[in-house]
Amino acid sequence: MSSARLLSSRRALAGAAAFVIAVLGGCASDEVPYEERAVEQIYNKAMDLMEEDRYRPAAKEFDEVERQHPYSEWARRSMLMSAYANYKVNQYDEAILNAQRFISLHPGNRDVPYAYYLIGLSYYEQISDVGRDQKMTEDAVAAFTELVRRFPASEYSRDARLKIELALDHLAGKEMEIGRYYLNRHDYIAAINRFRIVVEKYQTTTHTPEALERLTEAYMALGIKTEAQTAAAILGYNYPGSDWYEDSYALLAGYGLEPVENTDSWISKAWQSVTSVF
């Protein structure tokens, strides 16, 4: 290699090394430099930052409590406070991790219900529209459900129940969107499978009347009249004044049929299995 090319190569390597050092230096600057301090001093500083709505540096100070004084009472408090501070600045992964760790390390602590609630909120805040993947919605439902199951009388369970209902409605909306897509493409079996999920899993949501009407449409298109009549009958029994029932009734009437429930139908059995619980 010529001396000129060797010099150029060395300069390139030196430049790359300088870039890496700069990047690493920038990352390191986000960390709280280690300075041994009394636990009360670190915790109080974190709380002062919280009062100033400076949640990101507050979270780092709470983490510092754990780093320097891992076995203290302050460390236990700081773990959950760090989760909350991270939640406030939309650092949801960190919030969930800290809250889960709190539950794992202190399962009998009185603040465990709040830790579950914070996990649920962190997933709930990330719920996207029905056109996107609904993993966050499912995770939110799971976290809130666990909270309600384990701590039904908790002050956080009431709001958790409300958010569960809203999240389930969202999941049902996703199934309806896919079902409508298949129905418009005349893929009736695939459409029925999606509307069936709504009737069986999300029966208490606002999407159930439409799901029953769409089942009436799909079954009539396949020539399966008894199932179409059952869907319309269930719809009429439970939502007699809805536009969806009027549409189902008119569709059947066009073929000289009326809504009649077949108690052997999966629709009838699914409805009875849910309503009997309540």
Side-chain angles (χ1 to χ4, degrees):
M1 180 182 293
S2 68
S3 59
R5 291 183 62 188
L6 181 59
L7 179 60
S8 176
S9 177
R10 287 177 176 173
R11 286 175 176 170
L13 288 173
F19 174 76
V20 171
I21 291 171
V23 170
L24 292 176
C27 294
S29 66
D30 290 336
E31 299 297 325
V32 176
Y34 187 84
E35 176 190 350
E36 190 170 342
R37 290 174 285 165
V39 63
E40 296 89 346
Q41 181 183 353
I42 309 173
Y43 189 86
N44 289 337
K45 180 178 179 182
M47 292 301 294
D48 289 341
L49 290 168
M50 289 279 283
E51 291 180 4
E52 297 170 4
D53 295 337
R54 297 174 61 191
Y55 298 108
R56 198 180 298 272
K60 294 185 182 302
E61 288 294 335
F62 284 125
D63 292 341
E64 190 67 10
V65 172
E66 277 198 86
R67 181 165 67 153
Q68 292 195 28
H69 307 276
Y71 304 111
S72 67
E73 171 68 21
W74 301 90
R76 182 170 61 186
R77 299 180 195 174
S78 295
M79 197 182 303
L80 202 52
M81 291 302 294
S82 176
Y84 174 73
N86 277 303
Y87 163 76
K88 292 293 288 184
V89 290
N90 304 331
Q91 298 294 315
Y92 298 118
D93 290 343
E94 290 84 349
I96 291 168
L97 182 62
N98 277 337
Q100 288 175 335
R101 197 154 54 86
F102 180 87
I103 294 170
S104 177
L105 293 175
H106 311 290
N109 189 272
R110 66 178 183 179
D111 290 323
V112 165
Y114 179 70
Y116 275 113
Y117 183 65
L118 199 54
I119 292 170
L121 283 180
S122 295
Y123 285 126
Y124 191 82
E125 295 289 341
Q126 298 181 78
I127 292 177
S128 56
D129 63 75
V130 294
R132 298 177 180 272
D133 180 73
Q134 295 303 306
K135 180 64 166 59
M136 292 298 175
T137 313
E138 294 168 355
D139 288 341
V141 170
F144 286 136
T145 300
E146 186 66 7
L147 166 59
V148 172
R149 184 187 71 81
R150 292 190 59 188
F151 307 98
S154 165
E155 61 183 302
Y156 305 107
S157 291
R158 181 177 180 181
D159 189 57
R161 290 186 182 94
L162 175 61
K163 285 181 167 56
I164 288 171
E165 291 179 9
L166 295 173
L168 290 177
D169 202 81
H170 201 75
L171 291 173
K174 176 68 174 182
E175 298 298 334
M176 291 301 300
E177 182 185 57
I178 299 173
R180 290 188 213 100
Y181 169 79
Y182 286 130
L183 191 64
N184 290 334
R185 291 172 61 87
H186 307 295
D187 188 347
Y188 299 114
I189 298 298
I192 287 170
N193 287 337
R194 293 295 178 166
F195 300 137
R196 180 170 185 160
I197 291 173
V198 175
V199 171
E200 290 183 330
K201 291 183 62 177
Y202 307 120
Q203 196 174 108
T204 59
T205 69
T206 61
H207 297 279
T208 302
E210 181 184 357
L212 290 167
E213 194 280 334
R214 300 298 185 186
L215 284 169
T216 305
E217 287 185 48
Y219 277 124
M220 282 304 298
L222 291 173
I224 308 177
K225 298 177 182 179
T226 56
E227 291 292 79
Q229 289 174 285
T230 298
I234 296 295
L235 178 54
Y237 294 155
N238 294 279
Y239 308 96
S242 70
D243 292 339
W244 296 114
Y245 175 61
E246 292 181 8
D247 291 345
S248 293
Y249 189 92
L251 177 62
L252 292 177
Y255 290 90
L257 301 172
E258 293 183 349
V260 178
E261 181 179 1
N262 173 15
T263 55
D264 291 328
S265 167
W266 71 263
I267 305 172
S268 180
K269 292 176 180 178
W271 197 268
Q272 291 171 5
S273 68
V274 174
T275 54
S276 62
V277 174
F278 298 95

